[in-house]
Amino acid sequence: MYKEVWDKYMKGFKLILPFILVYVLFQNTSFNFKFVEYGFFEGKFSTFKQAVENNLISILFILFVGSLFYSFLTVVIKKLINGEIINYIESFKESLGIYLKYLGLNIILSGVMLGVMLLGFFHIIMPIAFILMIYLSVIFTPCEAYLVYNNSSPVEAFKKGISVGKKYSGEIILLSIMICIILGIASVITISMKTSPIGEIFVDFINTCALFYVYAFAMTICKKEGKEEQALEY
């Protein structure tokens, strides 16, 4: 399945490239809010409060504008996986039609992850919260793709997406490991480049390409799951 997704991804790479460039540009702006810069699992609620206060505008921007960007991207990826002709204008119009649903799903997913993150402030359950964050990041992977592929409600996409995520959790984990290894090697190769702006942009470009491949993979398993459900109905 990985090769199948890779072939389609590379075939339509030039159509995904504008999104990659916009994302990389965003990564290098002041609006980019990175949770890794804050020690959320250090048991300090003040850290969380400070992060929210200092980055409220960025958080709202990512939530509302980011949802529009990702819904547009995911619609394009859906058409790419289905082998359809991609027209940016038509795809954008389609993404506007599902924007509120996509935003609603993002609020649900973010709310759950935030709840788990808050558990990390309690030292006694901090390890459990950390493991739970990793587990949720795996099973939540297909949720957004499920919503776009099936034009479902946020709640249905949340429930069914988790079901698909659990079913393909092994494949998702393996993919994550492979990507981590590839990105690790790329980081070692470009470690001297990171000291320069060009080097940082190059590393961000590779990371973004890998991230969008995961989106394509998630869309593929949702498509596969949909075919299996249709087969069972007949």
Side-chain angles (χ1 to χ4, degrees), residues 61-74:
F61 180 87
I62 292 171
L63 181 60
F64 289 93
V65 179
S67 293
L68 179 59
F69 172 82
Y70 281 114
S71 62
F72 185 17
L73 167 66
T74 313

Side-chain angles (χ1 to χ4, degrees), residues 15-229:
L15 298 169
I16 302 295
L17 184 58
F19 294 93
I20 295 175
L21 296 178
V22 170
Y23 188 88
V24 170
L25 178 63
F26 172 75
Q27 288 290 96
N28 291 273
T29 64
S30 59
F31 271 106
N32 181 28
F33 174 53
K34 297 181 179 180
F35 282 100
V36 293
E37 295 177 356
Y38 298 86
F40 287 112
F41 287 95
E42 295 177 358
K44 297 179 181 179
F45 183 78
S46 59
T47 303
F48 173 77
K49 183 180 179 181
Q50 179 185 357
V52 173
E53 290 177 350
N54 294 344
N55 299 274
L56 182 59
I57 295 178
S58 297
I59 293 172
L60 293 176
F61 180 87
I62 292 171
L63 181 60
F64 289 93
V65 179
S67 293
L68 179 59
F69 172 82
Y70 281 114
S71 62
F72 185 17
L73 167 66
T74 313
V75 167
V76 171
I77 290 178
K78 180 190 73 171
K79 294 182 180 297
L80 177 64
I81 295 300
N82 285 336
E84 301 176 22
I85 297 175
I86 297 175
N87 180 291
Y88 288 128
I89 296 177
E90 294 300 322
S91 296
F92 183 69
K93 289 180 180 178
E94 184 176 341
S95 69
L96 289 177
I98 63 173
Y99 169 67
L100 291 179
K101 293 181 180 180
Y102 201 96
L103 175 62
L105 177 60
N106 263 345
I107 292 175
I108 294 174
L109 295 176
S110 299
V112 174
M113 296 298 280
L114 177 60
V116 176
M117 190 180 295
L118 291 175
L119 292 177
F121 295 128
F122 300 95
H123 289 283
I124 192 171
I125 58 176
M126 190 184 302
I128 297 176
F130 183 73
I131 294 173
L132 186 57
M133 284 277 286
I134 297 175
Y135 175 69
L136 291 178
S137 67
V138 171
I139 64 174
F140 283 176
T141 299
C143 290
E144 294 167 335
Y146 188 94
L147 184 147
V148 174
Y149 192 83
N150 297 282
N151 194 18
S152 61
S153 68
V155 174
E156 181 184 359
F158 179 70
K159 294 179 179 179
K160 294 291 184 66
I162 288 177
S163 178
V164 175
K166 289 179 179 179
K167 182 175 180 179
Y168 292 91
S169 59
E171 288 87 342
I172 295 172
I173 292 173
L174 180 58
L175 175 61
S176 300
I177 293 174
M178 289 190 296
I179 288 178
C180 286
I181 293 174
I182 294 172
L183 294 181
I185 295 173
S187 296
V188 171
I189 295 175
T190 60
I191 191 168
S192 60
M193 298 174 59
K194 283 190 173 183
T195 57
S196 68
I198 296 178
E200 291 182 0
I201 292 174
F202 177 76
V203 173
D204 286 341
F205 179 82
I206 298 299
N207 289 339
T208 305
C209 289
L211 173 64
F212 288 0
Y213 173 83
V214 173
Y215 272 75
F217 182 82
M219 188 65 68
T220 301
I221 60 178
C222 287
K223 177 182 179 180
K224 183 178 180 182
E225 189 66 15
K227 287 183 177 180
E228 291 182 359
E229 289 179 356

